[in-house]
Amino acid sequence: MAKCFRMKCPNCGNVVNVNGTGPCPKCSAPLDVNQPAAIALYRMGNFMGAATGFGLYINNQPFGAIANRETLIIPLPYGTYQMHIVCGMNRRCNDPVITLTPQDPFVCLKVHMKMGFVQNTFILERVDPSTMPQ
Ligand SMILES: [Zn+2]
């Protein structure tokens, strides 16, 4: 199970996988994973026709892709975030809105796909962090 930290550079907007602290590879601005809060996403199993990465958006900003059997941890400041996932022609998603607060700083989301007649819908379901693959 691959696990990585994903951040958007606050300076140039580059989306990058980071380990610990490190400069943005594009503009060299410091990136610090030690944010007060985080959203984790994981994706299990194979979805029909979806072996490739799913595109992840937070507040309409692209945040890279999430691969099959990948766990992404996105360190973030406290705030409210709308999550959205797309894959090819599948652009429907339940678009959950997550609010990160000092009382609720870590939210774990499991990515499902609900099969539909015309198109499929992504479901981001909030789950207990203990269910996250290690
Ligand atoms: Zn940058």
Side-chain angles (χ1 to χ4, degrees):
M1 177 64 60
K3 188 184 280 187
C4 72
F5 289 95
R6 171 82 45 89
M7 293 189 78
K8 182 186 276 289
C9 174
N11 186 48
C12 73
N14 188 29
V15 173
V16 61
N17 289 342
V18 285
N19 281 314
T21 55
C24 170
K26 209 166 169 183
C27 75
S28 299
L31 297 176
D32 189 357
V33 298
N34 296 305
Q35 298 292 319
I39 296 174
L41 290 105
Y42 70 90
R43 199 183 138 184
M44 296 290 289
N46 280 302
F47 295 100
M48 190 169 58
T52 54
F54 296 169
L56 170 66
Y57 290 78
I58 301 178
N59 293 342
N60 297 313
Q61 299 290 311
F63 249 81
I66 177 166
N68 196 25
R69 299 190 172 279
E70 182 175 51
T71 300
L72 279 185
I73 298 169
I74 302 165
L76 291 164
Y78 298 128
T80 298
Y81 301 96
Q82 191 203 44
M83 311 298 291
H84 184 67
I85 279 189
V86 300
C87 180
M89 295 302 289
N90 291 304
R91 294 182 178 276
R92 287 206 307 204
C93 178
N94 66 333
D95 291 357
V97 173
I98 304 297
T99 301
L100 299 173
T101 65
Q103 289 74 35
D104 196 17
F106 185 71
V107 170
C108 184
L109 299 170
K110 185 176 177 178
V111 181
H112 300 269
M113 188 189 268
K114 198 172 100 188
M115 296 301 183
F117 182 66
V118 176
Q119 61 175 336
N120 303 324
T121 302
F122 289 106
I123 306 293
L124 298 173
E125 181 194 359
R126 184 167 182 173
V127 293
D128 190 275
S130 66
T131 66
M132 223 168 79
Q134 295 304 306

